[in-house]
């Protein structure tokens, strides 16, 4: 509490308040009124005594019938049966992640790797790209082949063929994340792979061939960065996709060994990020003709520690989304052990960091958390935007929801039911998706600890952890999200693993989203969605003409049974990964949607008529 300031005396003590002075006339008037007051008080006291001695008149009792309260009937959330089946082996996906670990416990070994669904050959089917790390220099086992990313072609029925060899992607690099986008608008998606010790941009040449154009494009970095999640976006709406890259910490083997992180009773362990200095994110502007310009410093995305001047970020995830509907893509960045960033797009190539002002920088107690993956969606089917962030073990998953002011958020993870159920898990990949096609966006988290021996020192923790699925019950009064048990989602979904990247796509053409979850040093889970609920759906593939050809940043809106469904064209979701580019609107039992429109990057609206029920509708951007 504050008080009015007082003037100090020369000795430092406070001066006492001045006592007012009164003249004799004032004192005399005060005395006469005091005498009158005494008489009145005496009369009042006597009257009160007489009243108290009177016996009150008898009052006839009045009986009021009372009924026990009847609680409102609880409406149980009936979670649908929609089981996921691991079909990786049967589908031909034989990939196994190689982290290169040989005993020194170097931090990058436990942080990869990403995955992407993409249609690289334009046949309409979602292909698969798995990002690999590599053996460390001087530690390749005798006779071992070099570890490379893996590209799989989808035959349209969910069966994949490894086409990596000779594709141009069969190069060894210590990969982390991936971004997919047609940066030159030639109709073929290009691939950017982030990693430790240098990033790579591969141009899609057609015919299943890719060309490394990193040096010419100018997006390789200095070779000293540890880059993580990345995204193709068109932040200035000039029709060309730009590139945003998260950087984690300033790392080298020498620094890692010097940190020398250990666990009692275990020995050397993977170091914590607070022992490493942060790093700046990078933003590249697409200049055209295959060339990018580094505009990181000029654009305002380089946040410094105000005390030290060092980079403040330790960035692992990014969610590109237009927060306030001004037609410009903003960036929400998930940081590990330091505050999250919100880069508001001010236009003219400039961003302003408003994380603390928006309420997204910290938890409800003003503390930073160990943030990993991130996604954004309007999960309530209204104007409120949700930002979900997967956090470290014993930390709640964050669910920031916009308030009346679109750039002001409140963490509603507890009231919405998503936080407590996953508190003990270490959450990496996280995304919104409508797995049962009922029109409400659900949430999946991919989980797994960093340290193999964590169970020896923390008995409530395990290295391998199950993924977690939350069904959106649509009940805002009791919380939207309900954890889905194994008997409803299938045992394969909750198989313990060291989960990291995750993505979704319809791999077999039945309309529902299938899921892939990667793990450190092991094979992925390719989870086919085997729901048979009879719900209808609409699928849209958008083609930009004035906007970037992929229509990244556009949104599809439609009204279904009085609710407004909003789906953004944004493959960048979760942790290090990319989901499919087309968007799907689940309709539940409805057979049509009303007032379907596309909001293109920049804000132009375009109505869509005659959308194909339970099929794909291609929408090209109108000329005017």
């Amino acid at each position: 509490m504050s008080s009015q300031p007082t003037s100090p005396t020369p000795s430092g003590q406070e001066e006492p308040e001045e006592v007012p002075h009164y003249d004799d006339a004032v004192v005399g008037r005060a005395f006469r009124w005091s005498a009158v007051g005494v008489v009145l008080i005496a009369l009042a006291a006597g009257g009160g005594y007489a009243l108290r001695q009177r016996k009150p008149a008898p009052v006839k009792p009045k009986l009021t019938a009372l009924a026990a309260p009847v609680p409102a009937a609880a409406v149980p959330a009936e979670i649908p049966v929609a089981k996921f089946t691991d079909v990786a082996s049967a589908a031909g996906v034989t990939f196994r992640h190689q982290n290169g670990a040989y005993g020194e416990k170097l931090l990058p070994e436990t942080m990869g790797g990403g995955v992407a669904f993409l249609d690289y050959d334009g046949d309409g089917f979602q292909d698969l790209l798995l990002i690999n790390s590599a053996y460390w220099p001087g530690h390749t086992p005798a006779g071992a082949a070099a570890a490379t990313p893996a590209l799989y072609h989808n035959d349209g029925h969910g069966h994949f063929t490894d086409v990596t060899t000779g594709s141009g992607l069969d190069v060894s690099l210590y990969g982390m994340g991936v971004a997919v986008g047609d940066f030159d608008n030639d109709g073929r998606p290009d691939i950017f792979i982030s990693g430790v010790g240098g990033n790579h941009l591969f141009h899609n040449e057609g015919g299943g061939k890719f060309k490394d154009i990193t040096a010419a494009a100018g997006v390789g970095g200095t070779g000293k960065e540890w880059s993580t999640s990345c995204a193709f976006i068109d932040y200035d709406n000039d029709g060309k996709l730009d590139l945003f890259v998260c950087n984690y910490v300033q790392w080298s083997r020498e620094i890692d060994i010097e940190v020398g992180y250990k666990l009692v009773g275990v020995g050397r362990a993977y170091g914590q990020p607070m022992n490493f200095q942060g790093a700046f994110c990078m933003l590249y502007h697409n200049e055209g003709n295959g060339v990018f310009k580094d505009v990181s410093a000029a654009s305002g995305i380089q946040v410094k520690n105000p005390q030290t001047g060092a980079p403040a970020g330790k960035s692992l995830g990014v969610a590109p989304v237009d927060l306030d509907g001004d037609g410009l893509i903003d960036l929400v960045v998930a940081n590990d052990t330091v505050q999250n960033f919100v880069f508001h797009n001010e236009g003219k190539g400039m961003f302003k960091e408003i994380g603390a002002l928006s309420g997204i920088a910290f938890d409800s107690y003003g503390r930073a958390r160990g943030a990993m993956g991130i996604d954004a969606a309007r999960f309530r089917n209204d104007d409120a935007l949700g930002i979900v962030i997967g956090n470290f073990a014993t930390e709640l998953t964050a669910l920031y929801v916009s308030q009346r002011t679109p750039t002001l958020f409140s963490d509603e993870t507890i009231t919405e039911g998503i936080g407590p159920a996953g508190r003990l898990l270490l959450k990496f990949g996280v995304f919104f998706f409508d797995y049962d096609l009922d029109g409400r966006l659900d949430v999946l988290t991919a989980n797994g600890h960093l340290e193999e021996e964590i169970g020896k020192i923390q008995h409530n923790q395990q290295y391998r952890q199950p993924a977690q699925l939350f069904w959106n019950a649509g009940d805002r009064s009791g919380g939207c999200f309900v954890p889905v048990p194994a008997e409803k989602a299938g045992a394969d979904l909750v198989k313990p693993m060291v989960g990291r990247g995750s993505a979704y796509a319809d791999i077999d053409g039945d309309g529902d989203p299938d899921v892939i979850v990667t793990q450190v040093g092991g094979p992925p889970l390719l989870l086919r969605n085997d729901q048979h609920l009879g719900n209808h759906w609409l699928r849209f593939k958008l083609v930009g003409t004035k906007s970037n050809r992929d229509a990244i940043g556009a949104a599809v809106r439609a009204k279904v049974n009085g609710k407004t469904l909003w789906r953004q064209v944004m493959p960048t979701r979760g942790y290090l990964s990319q989901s499919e580019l087309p968007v799907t609107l689940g309709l539940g039992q409805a057979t049509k949607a009303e007032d379907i429109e596309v909001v293109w990057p920049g804000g132009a609206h375009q109505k869509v008529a005659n959308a194909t029920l339970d099929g794909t509708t291609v929408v090209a951007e109108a000329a005017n």
Side-chain angles (χ1 to χ4, degrees), residues 44-334:
Y49 176 80
L51 288 172
R52 286 195 298 272
Q53 300 308 306
R54 292 182 59 188
K55 293 183 179 180
V59 178
K60 186 177 181 180
K62 183 179 180 182
L63 301 178
T64 302
L66 297 177
V70 178
V75 180
E78 185 61 37
I79 301 173
V81 175
K83 294 187 177 181
F84 289 83
T85 305
D86 181 16
V87 297
S89 179
V93 177
T94 59
F95 174 85
R96 186 179 183 90
H97 180 259
Q98 174 56 251
N99 65 351
Y102 59 91
E104 283 196 328
K105 294 288 185 80
L106 303 178
L107 187 54
E109 295 167 359
T110 193
M111 299 296 288
V115 61
F117 282 114
L118 73 163
D119 181 9
Y120 76 86
D121 56 352
D123 63 359
F125 308 134
Q126 295 300 310
D127 308 305
L128 183 61
L129 176 65
L130 288 145
I131 305 304
N132 214 343
S133 298
Y135 295 106
W136 294 111
H139 293 277
T140 302
T148 73
L151 180 65
Y152 288 90
H153 180 262
N154 186 356
D155 67 357
H157 301 287
H159 188 271
F160 294 85
T161 302
D162 190 337
V163 294
T164 310
T165 302
S167 67
L169 298 174
D170 48 349
V171 295
S172 183
L173 49 90
Y174 207 96
M176 282 282 155
V178 58
V180 178
D182 182 6
F183 75 82
D184 57 355
N185 293 323
D186 65 355
R188 298 187 296 266
D190 309 297
I191 296 170
F192 178 84
I193 299 178
S194 67
V196 178
N199 303 322
H200 295 262
L201 178 62
F202 297 92
H203 181 260
N204 191 334
E205 304 282 296
K209 305 294 183 182
F210 291 82
K211 180 181 179 181
D212 190 336
I213 61 167
T214 308
V219 293
T222 65
K224 297 180 179 181
E225 292 89 3
W226 176 354
S227 298
T228 54
S229 291
C230 38
F232 280 110
I233 57 171
D234 184 5
Y235 71 86
D236 57 355
N237 292 331
D238 65 354
K240 300 187 295 291
L241 287 175
D242 312 300
L243 179 63
F244 181 85
V245 182
C246 292
N247 286 324
Y248 188 30
V249 295
Q250 296 184 30
W251 180 90
S252 68
R253 177 185 175 276
E254 292 71 26
I255 295 174
D256 207 327
I257 297 298
E258 184 177 345
V259 167
Y261 187 69
K262 295 181 180 180
L263 291 175
V264 177
V266 173
R268 178 161 171 80
Y270 291 112
Q272 297 179 338
M274 62 277 292
N275 297 324
F276 298 87
Q277 185 167 296
F280 291 130
C281 296
M282 296 185 293
L283 180 64
Y284 296 98
H285 181 261
N286 189 340
E287 302 282 293
N289 299 319
V291 177
F292 290 78
K293 179 181 179 182
D294 187 344
V295 295
S296 308
S299 64
I301 66 157
Q302 292 188 342
V303 182
K304 296 181 180 180
N305 184 309
Q307 278 75 41
T308 65
K314 298 180 180 182
S315 305
L316 288 174
V318 58
V321 61
D322 182 0
L323 295 173
D324 51 3
D326 63 358
L328 299 170
I329 284 288
D330 310 297
L331 298 161
V332 186
V333 177

Side-chain angles (χ1 to χ4, degrees), residues 11 37 50 96 106 181 201 311 317 344 356 413 439 495 564 578 617:
S11 63
R96 186 179 183 90
L106 303 178
L201 178 62
H344 181 259
T413 185
K495 176 184 177 182
T564 300
Q578 303 271 284
T617 301

Side-chain angles (χ1 to χ4, degrees), residues 332-551:
V332 186
V333 177
N335 284 317
D336 190 4
T337 71
V338 297
Q339 70 183 69
N340 299 318
F341 296 148
V342 177
F343 294 117
H344 181 259
N345 194 331
E346 305 280 295
K348 298 182 179 180
M350 295 300 298
F351 290 83
K352 182 179 180 181
E353 205 288 301
I354 61 168
L357 293 175
S358 70
I360 296 176
F362 305 100
D363 70 6
S364 299
Y365 299 97
R367 299 172 301 198
R369 292 184 278 201
M372 313 293 178
I374 184 172
D375 196 12
R378 288 185 168 86
F379 67 93
R380 291 176 176 167
N381 291 337
D382 58 16
D383 291 334
L385 180 68
I387 308 288
V388 62
I389 301 177
N391 290 316
F392 200 78
T394 73
E395 296 176 340
L396 300 181
T397 299
L399 181 57
Y400 299 101
V401 182
S402 64
Q403 307 301 301
R404 292 183 179 180
T405 301
T407 54
L408 180 63
F409 289 76
S410 174
D411 192 348
E412 300 185 12
T413 185
I414 294 178
T415 56
E416 292 293 10
I418 199 171
R423 184 180 69 85
L424 291 179
L425 299 171
L426 202 167
K427 289 76 66 179
F428 274 90
V430 57
F431 55 68
F432 292 102
F433 74 139
D434 183 5
Y435 76 91
D436 58 347
L437 300 176
D438 65 354
R440 299 188 298 267
L441 289 171
D442 314 296
V443 171
L444 184 137
T445 68
N447 313 308
H449 212 281
L450 300 178
E451 178 55 55
E452 294 174 88
E453 308 295 336
I454 190 64
K456 293 182 179 180
I457 61 172
Q458 294 182 21
H459 298 302
N460 62 354
Q461 288 293 322
Q462 297 295 326
Y463 182 49
R464 291 175 173 80
Q465 301 178 354
Q468 197 166 32
L469 180 63
F470 292 89
W471 179 61
N472 187 340
D475 181 10
R476 289 181 57 183
S477 62
C480 276
F481 295 103
V482 182
V484 182
E487 59 267 24
K488 299 281 189 176
D492 289 349
L493 178 71
V494 295
K495 176 184 177 182
M497 64 184 300
V498 194
R500 293 295 184 262
S502 59
Y504 65 85
D506 179 11
I507 64 172
D508 49 9
D510 62 358
D512 55 37
D514 309 292
V515 171
I516 190 165
V517 180
T518 70
Q519 68 173 328
V520 171
L525 296 181
L526 180 60
L527 297 161
R528 187 184 64 209
N529 189 336
D530 289 332
Q531 64 87 22
H532 299 288
L533 299 171
N535 290 331
H536 297 290
W537 47 278
L538 303 172
R539 184 175 173 90
F540 296 92
K541 176 178 171 55
L542 307 187
V543 181
T545 53
K546 294 181 294 183
S547 305
N548 67 88
R549 186 180 177 87
D550 285 338

